[in-house]
Amino acid sequence: MLKFSNYKRLWGVLTVGAVALILQFLFRQSGVAQIVVTALGSLIACLMLVDMVKTLRSGKFGVDLLAITAVVATLAIGEYWAALIVLLMLTGGDALEDYAAHKANTDLQALLEKSPQIAHVVIEDQIHDVAVESVAVGDRLLVKPGEVVPVDGTVVAGQAMVDESSLTGESRLVEITAGSPLMSGAVNGDNTVTMVADQLAEDSQYQNIIRLVKQAEAQPAHFVRMADRYAVPFTLVAYVIAGIAWAVSGTPERFAEVLVVASPCPLILAAPIALVAGMSRASQSGIIVKTGTTLEKLAKVKTMAFDKTGTITQGNLTVAEVLPVAGVSQAALIKLAAACEQHSNHVLARSLVEVAPADLPAATNVAEVTGGGVSATVAGEVVKVGKADFVTSAPIEQQSTTAVYVSADSRYLGCITFSDQLRPEAATTVTGLHQLGVDHLMMISGDRRPIAEKIAQSVGIDDVYAECLPAEKIAVLKQLPREKRPVAMVGDGVNDAPSLVTADVGLAMGAHGATAASESADAVILKDDLSRVVAAVEISRDTMKVARQSVLIGVGICTGLMLIASTGVIPTIVGALLQEVVDTVTILAALRARSKRSR
């Protein structure tokens, strides 16, 4: 919803302007036209004065004083048409700012507009349409072609192509079949599918993103008033030039001519439009940025800290090495261990079975020992798989990585190690950050030091903190010296949430659903792609560069026009019209933040 008050003021100026034109040129009542415009100008100047006082009370120095002075000065010397143009510029600029922000925010608003409202619940082969909030975990749902998936779930029947672009930023359609996960907010293709709800609507991915979007809109960005940093010097320069021009020329008209072209609309418009445009660009890349402050800090980041599991790595353990003793083959060791583990739900058991052959021998007398492992009878032998002290009492060399050990009838046969696989894009992400000038990269992990150091070395991270509890992670971030700040933290799990809050910027890998990490972070990467961290930094830097450039462009043009106006060659009405051109140039410059920039 665009701000009604700004449009109300604009329509008021347009209406009074139309009335004044009719009085001036149709009824030849220039005096009445001047009174009408003066009354309107005085009213809006008073409203602006109230706004300026509120700004000063908040401890900030705004740029509204120049605008008020320009309106009052032109009305005082009888240049009421110039005053009307200045008023049109000011109210039109505010309305245009609202429109530009709304336009740049289209990608984020699209999430809200497509929010699913109805779900088709299948009960005894009958379809019942219910509110999406009424869907329970375990309900069977029908998703028709072209519909938005209402809740997170799993496909149980049907095959289709779905569009997840609003969630992940990935334009390619994703094929789903029975067993495929389905995220709420995805748009179904041309086939009907049946799914089972895994989450309530309020816990699903789409509703989590909507909460993030609403939070992003509700929290104003600190840098939106970046122009206020230039307000004091710009205001002083304008008054000095205008005062000198008045003193030299001996006429107050020259004072008004200078202030008309010194109107601060370019300063007011540039930064917020650039920031909203940058946030829109980020959303197109699958990155939800909650505030403009996040963009400002991320653009200046000097240290990037990473969690290990699920961030640098994929977060799932797979078989790394099969290490049998002499006389035992790798295939035999895998086959025996998988036969023993094939009915277990343990994550390592599933990884073993995945790499084992299909023709596993039968296992009987299967028993799981808490904290030890699994024992079973396979081919007449008692096979044990698990910790070293569970499978054998003989002294054996233990691995530094995650491993299971195997014995048969108390005879040690060997071990199988597991590793959390690196993300394929992890190394290129580190390289990309170095290329952007982020030289201090850290890994802060709760895993054992040998594992953490091996992972860090493989991707090019030198500074490693291992075996850290959540409180210790916070301590590591807090002890960073000032010259290495701001610091950004990238994580994905619930245990990362405190670190994400502690860091200057928290980035959550939120592709796998609503987590405490996503709620605590300043930005959420929706696509399961670590390289989006590089994109986030690049977009932030581009956005802040465009914001500063746009402000300086406005300041530079206005200063040049003030110097020219001080010579008396620019009448007030022409100066007011020139300001419309300056506003347009500034807005177009700021909107460049929405587009990718070549380097």
Side-chain angles (χ1 to χ4, degrees), residues 208-231:
N208 183 51
I209 295 173
I210 288 177
R211 284 195 295 271
L212 295 179
V213 172
K214 289 181 177 179
Q215 184 177 350
E217 291 180 329
Q219 295 184 5
H222 167 72
F223 198 65
V224 165
R225 296 296 294 181
M226 183 189 72
D228 289 345
R229 301 177 186 178
Y230 302 89

Side-chain angles (χ1 to χ4, degrees), residues 142-189:
L142 204 66
V143 184
K144 300 178 181 179
E147 290 187 338
V148 178
V149 178
V151 296
D152 291 354
T154 303
V155 178
V156 293
Q159 181 176 357
M161 303 294 289
V162 298
D163 179 6
E164 298 180 346
S165 58
S166 63
L167 300 169
T168 65
E170 180 62 62
S171 59
R172 181 176 59 86
L173 296 178
V174 178
E175 183 178 5
I176 58 169
T177 58
S180 299
L182 200 53
M183 288 191 295
S184 59
V187 180
N188 189 20

